[in-house]
Amino acid sequence: MTQDGTTQDTPAEINPGDEIELEVGDIAHGGIFVARHEGRVVFVADAVPGELVRARVTEVRKSFARAVATDVLRASADRQPHVWQEAAIERAPEERAGGAELGHIRLARQRELKAQVLSESMARFAGHEWQGTVEPLLGDDENGGTRWRTRVTLHVDKDGRVGPYAARSHRVIETETLPLAHGDIEELAPLGERLAGTGRIELVAPAELDTRMRTILDGAHGRKPGVVTEVVNGREYKVDEDGFWQVHRLAAETLSNAVADALDPALVDPDAVNLDLYGGVGLLAAAFAQEAGPGAFIETVESNAAATGHATANLAEWRGASAVTARVDQYLARLERDATHLDREGVRRGTVILDPPRSGAGKDVIDRLAGFGPAQLVYVACDPVALARDTGLLLAHGYSLEWMRAYDLFPNTHHFETVARFVRV
């Protein structure tokens, strides 16, 4: 008991708006860093492990607080001038643009920190040891991790201002630059302009840059989105302007090649019931079909009807390919209910590719898949914690994690992608 009546373990009282000094520790999931202030865990943004910073408290909960660095009192050797001047620590926290939360850290160190997050997530949630690296994409080191985005969303507020949201906010920040965006997008963006009516602006630069730029405005400026053509490994893919497509200029090619590399050729059966779940416009189904051969059976499942329509066209060269519009959990439940013995045996011999949303596939989907027992699963993950949780479920069902690689598809942010192969033991 201390003189003021509190116990040694009671965190000191702090409130939003307080300025505190923090010794910055390890990275946490989400691009924030762990510190402690007189017994309380504080998650602090815009810092680097090993630094001493002054930080402004933004949120206080019973067991932890959140803060954002406002001044660096002792800098890490890994700190660099921020790649986006409008997101730099020299600006007031509420005036910092969001979307480049690691842009103040050297690229090589960013990748080490991402690998650490993946390694710790796999150990904590899956009981699996992984000590790999997060691999850069061609050209990113030379560009400082800039000019890779082929899709950018800007917003228009009630005063007509155009820009990205502020970090951790829905407040529009006017900017002069968009350094992560492809240069043509930055030129196309109406930065510094005033527009009538609120809304969202989507800027799209297809990967084949000789095709034209397009702009979609909603709210007061609404129009129906068109269709763009993306080219991956010499194949064309149709996708809606506002449909899902990987945003890094080399991401679709990287993931397509990674899925092909992940497949165990000995387990690829072109005549089996092969599935591409959360299949989008068929990019990863095509990666499988190219490995399996012209007569391969592959069915892609996607809840967005427009994407499924494009997948049908994008996969037309494979006579055994099909596209189904359905939620993945409902599709598997229906397959489970209606499958004949031959259907079940076909799935058991098959390959399943799944590229779920950030929340992961989840227990229901994993349990149903494991009930069919496909020979191999290739999992494309955009969230390390979700991947680790689903890995734990698959390991508990008797699968073995045989192959895993991670790719830095989002330099200067905390995001990255991982591709893993699971094999039925």
Side-chain angles (χ1 to χ4, degrees):
M1 185 78 69
T2 62
Q3 289 183 346
D4 63 1
T6 62
T7 66
Q8 295 286 351
D9 294 330
T10 301
E13 182 178 350
I14 55 176
N15 298 289
D18 287 353
E19 296 273 346
I20 57 177
E21 289 188 9
L22 296 171
E23 289 272 359
V24 183
D26 285 340
I27 191 170
H29 181 45
I32 53 178
F33 301 87
V34 182
R36 290 186 178 273
H37 178 70
E38 298 183 11
R40 186 189 300 274
V41 172
V42 181
F43 296 109
V44 57
D46 299 343
V48 186
E51 289 189 330
L52 176 66
V53 301
R54 181 175 294 110
R56 182 183 303 169
V57 177
T58 58
E59 180 183 0
V60 179
R61 297 193 180 184
K62 183 176 181 181
S63 59
F64 68 89
R66 297 186 187 277
V68 57
T70 57
D71 192 18
V72 180
L73 306 178
R74 186 185 67 238
S76 165
D78 294 316
R79 180 175 283 274
Q80 65 178 10
H82 205 292
V83 297
W84 194 358
Q85 62 187 21
E86 286 93 349
I89 195 170
E90 290 78 15
R91 293 171 67 99
E94 63 274 13
E95 295 297 326
R96 296 175 197 169
E101 62 277 1
L102 298 186
H104 61 290
I105 303 175
R106 291 187 307 109
L107 269 179
R109 182 59 174 146
Q110 289 181 34
R111 296 183 189 120
E112 291 174 355
L113 293 170
K114 293 178 185 186
Q116 179 182 333
V117 170
L118 179 55
S119 178
E120 292 176 354
S121 298
M122 293 297 290
R124 179 180 178 186
F125 296 105
H128 181 87
E129 183 176 343
W130 180 80
Q131 297 297 329
T133 61
V134 175
E135 304 173 29
L137 272 60
L138 184 67
D140 281 345
D141 283 335
E142 292 78 2
N143 293 334
T146 64
R147 301 306 177 201
W148 52 266
R149 290 197 70 106
T150 61
R151 282 162 166 73
V152 170
T153 299
L154 300 178
H155 304 273
V156 185
D157 68 12
K158 62 182 178 59
D159 296 320
R161 292 179 298 186
V162 179
Y165 282 144
R168 301 166 293 277
S169 169
H170 283 174
R171 180 170 174 268
V172 172
I173 296 295
E174 292 185 287
T175 68
E176 297 179 0
T177 62
L178 297 171
L180 300 193
H182 186 275
D184 290 340
I185 281 185
E186 187 173 60
E187 290 181 14
L188 187 67
L191 301 178
E193 296 182 19
R194 286 288 192 272
L195 300 179
T198 60
R200 187 184 78 245
I201 303 173
E202 300 285 354
L203 303 169
V204 181
E208 284 294 291
L209 294 173
D210 58 347
T211 57
R212 62 189 182 277
M213 305 298 149
R214 296 168 184 255
T215 307
I216 311 165
L217 292 82
D218 71 358
H221 315 277
R223 73 169 175 82
K224 185 177 180 180
V227 176
V228 296
T229 300
E230 299 283 0
V231 180
V232 180
N233 291 330
R235 295 193 75 258
E236 291 188 353
Y237 296 84
K238 300 295 185 182
V239 59
D240 284 351
E241 283 182 296
D242 60 346
F244 175 77
W245 188 259
Q246 293 289 342
V247 298
H248 191 292
R249 58 192 170 79
L250 296 179
E253 178 182 325
T254 298
L255 292 179
S256 181
N257 294 341
V259 166
D261 291 342
L263 294 169
D264 182 343
L267 298 177
V268 172
D269 182 346
D271 299 320
V273 178
N274 301 295
L275 302 175
D276 173 28
L277 305 180
Y278 315 95
V281 298
L283 173 70
L284 302 183
F288 171 84
Q290 285 178 304
E291 296 298 310
F297 177 93
I298 178 75
E299 184 157 86
T300 182
V301 182
E302 165 62 47
S303 61
N304 183 281
T308 305
H310 289 309
T312 299
N314 293 336
L315 300 171
E317 69 187 78
W318 290 283
R319 62 180 182 270
S322 58
V324 174
T325 302
R327 279 179 36 177
V328 167
D329 57 345
Q330 295 175 355
Y331 173 88
L332 291 175
R334 185 166 63 249
L335 184 63
E336 190 177 58
R337 182 185 67 242
D338 299 337
T340 66
H341 173 73
L342 289 176
D343 292 333
R344 289 182 177 276
E345 181 56 29
V347 178
R348 184 172 175 80
R349 299 193 335 263
T351 294
V352 173
I353 300 167
L354 59 163
D355 182 9
R358 197 166 302 283
S359 56
K363 188 175 188 304
D364 181 57
V365 167
I366 295 296
D367 286 351
R368 291 184 189 279
L369 278 176
F372 285 106
Q376 64 179 334
L377 297 100
V378 177
Y379 192 126
V380 180
C382 60
D383 185 276
V385 171
L387 171 64
R389 287 178 175 143
D390 287 345
T391 295
L393 294 171
L394 285 166
L395 297 180
H397 278 293
Y399 278 82
S400 173
L401 176 54
E402 298 290 319
W403 186 98
M404 189 164 81
R405 291 174 68 179
Y407 304 90
D408 193 15
L409 267 58
F410 309 91
N412 292 308
T413 83
H414 74 276
H415 299 292
F416 60 99
E417 297 264 342
T418 308
V419 180
R421 179 181 75 237
F422 299 88
V423 174
R424 187 183 68 232
V425 178

